[in-house]
Amino acid sequence: MKILVVDDEQDVKVLFQQRFRKEIRKDELEFVFAFSGEEALNLMKAMEHEAVLILSDINMPGMSGLELLDTIKKNYVKPPPMVMMITAYGDDENRTMAKNLGADDFLTKPLDFSLLKDKLITLT
């Protein structure tokens, strides 16, 4: 499964690579990283719908995760990628907006990687 992780914090890449080391080594999961919404859209064009799951931060400079979610859900319909939104703010307003825009799930920072692994296992 190819997963696109979108977060403006560069250290997220190392964190995911450490936490999913075994799954990456076994070729069960492949992670691609974008550090802005705009970069994520460029990667998605280049990947031609290969991303099965997108994990996106909500609060990023430039294009927000919610704007990215809206663009993905409008422009990538066949097959629609699953989008999980990640934020440090677990407030109801962001959660409601993300759900209304088509988010498939909503996670809060700091990420519970055990929970995330469990969710990914059910998708594979």
Side-chain angles (χ1 to χ4, degrees):
M1 176 188 324
K2 187 173 277 192
I3 300 167
L4 173 59
V5 179
V6 186
D7 196 314
D8 59 312
E9 295 180 27
Q10 300 278 333
D11 59 339
V12 165
K13 181 176 182 177
V14 174
L15 189 60
F16 270 84
Q17 289 171 334
Q18 289 172 345
R19 297 297 179 113
F20 291 98
R21 178 176 44 243
K22 186 173 81 174
E23 293 82 1
I24 292 169
R25 204 173 310 126
K26 290 181 174 180
D27 289 327
E28 295 171 352
L29 299 174
E30 179 183 349
F31 289 92
V32 178
F33 297 89
F35 300 104
S36 70
E38 295 85 358
E39 184 182 356
L41 291 176
N42 288 334
L43 278 172
M44 289 183 71
K45 286 178 192 169
M47 291 190 305
E48 297 180 7
H49 300 280
E50 286 181 54
V52 175
L53 173 65
I54 298 163
L55 296 170
S56 178
D57 189 17
I58 287 182
N59 296 305
M60 297 184 288
M63 177 184 283
S64 75
L66 293 173
E67 291 168 318
L68 175 63
L69 171 64
D70 189 40
T71 301
I72 290 168
K73 290 299 183 173
K74 286 179 180 172
N75 297 326
Y76 292 86
V77 292
K78 292 184 181 178
M82 176 177 262
V83 181
M84 292 184 185
M85 302 306 294
I86 303 170
T87 185
Y89 309 101
D91 65 281
D92 288 336
E93 184 180 339
N94 276 331
R95 184 180 302 271
T96 300
M97 191 175 300
K99 291 289 183 190
N100 288 342
L101 291 171
D104 297 288
D105 207 343
F106 194 89
L107 306 168
T108 54
K109 289 182 180 180
L111 273 180
D112 178 341
F113 280 94
S114 296
L115 175 65
L116 181 57
K117 279 185 184 185
D118 290 344
K119 287 177 183 275
L120 297 178
I121 287 169
T122 64
L123 298 175
T124 57

